Amino acid sequence: MVLDDLGEEERESKGKGGVLALFACQNDPGMCDDWEPRSGGNRALLFPLDGLGPIPLPEGDEEAPLVLGDVRAVVLERESEDDYDLARAAWAARTERPKLSVLGQLGGRPAWIQADETPSCPSCARTMPFIVQLEEGPDHSTSMNFGGAGSAYAFACEPCGHALFLWQC
């Protein structure tokens, strides 16, 4: 996820942008404490845009390239409604598709399922800005496991280079 996708207004308030990479343990549910932002069952990495580029394929490597399994392509669509739950409902009504087709939001305010768990930066102790909320998705073959009908939340402190990722259900 490129943080530049947040839009001009949010980018100015949150920083220059970067690449946020999210990783979550997908072992048997409950085997990893991946709902906790600092448990080790998940990881969020924030990379600055400067110096990033694709890695070239090694020359002379005769191995077949790795093939991805099931994947899901997404499109960023903006809704005028600020409230996430209302925006999901408005999108579903406008497109005549189920709300489960909405896979999350970039920026805005988290729509917590449980209590607010906004983390503090481990370096500067300031409240970390909210970056993205992700939903499990409608297709089990391409969805993440956030505990069954859960949502994941990612936060990043760009000046310190830290990011955290957690989920609730």
Side-chain angles (χ1 to χ4, degrees):
M1 170 179 312
V2 179
L3 299 188
D4 193 38
D5 288 340
L6 289 173
E8 190 66 35
E9 187 176 299
E10 291 203 45
R11 187 172 51 252
E12 286 177 10
S13 70
K14 293 189 174 152
K16 294 183 265 184
V19 174
L20 180 64
L22 304 175
F23 303 91
C25 174
Q26 293 293 290
N27 281 333
D28 293 332
M31 296 301 293
C32 304
D33 292 342
D34 58 342
W35 55 88
E36 296 286 342
R38 294 178 174 95
S39 70
N42 61 41
R43 186 76 168 131
L45 301 173
L46 182 60
F47 301 102
L49 287 175
D50 297 339
L52 286 182
I55 298 173
L57 290 174
E59 289 187 31
D61 192 349
E62 301 300 320
E63 277 189 49
L66 293 176
V67 178
L68 293 175
D70 291 333
V71 296
R72 182 175 199 84
V74 297
V75 174
L76 177 63
E77 293 188 32
R78 300 198 185 274
E79 286 292 327
S80 59
E81 181 61 56
D82 287 338
D83 179 88
Y84 175 63
D85 293 321
L86 294 176
R88 277 178 81 191
W91 179 87
R94 180 175 55 79
T95 62
E96 298 181 348
R97 293 178 62 194
K99 287 192 299 186
L100 282 176
S101 295
V102 176
L103 298 179
Q105 66 171 328
L106 281 175
R109 291 184 314 273
W112 295 107
I113 294 175
Q114 299 176 20
D116 185 332
E117 293 186 58
T118 303
S120 298
C121 175
S123 291
C124 69
R126 283 182 264 175
T127 300
M128 295 181 88
F130 173 67
I131 302 300
V132 65
Q133 179 171 340
L134 302 171
E135 304 296 335
E136 287 188 354
D139 182 352
H140 75 282
S141 68
T142 59
S143 66
M144 293 291 292
N145 178 6
F146 302 135
S151 293
Y153 311 87
F155 301 82
C157 181
E158 287 189 63
C160 296
H162 289 287
L164 290 172
F165 176 52
L166 63 109
W167 59 263
Q168 296 179 345
C169 63

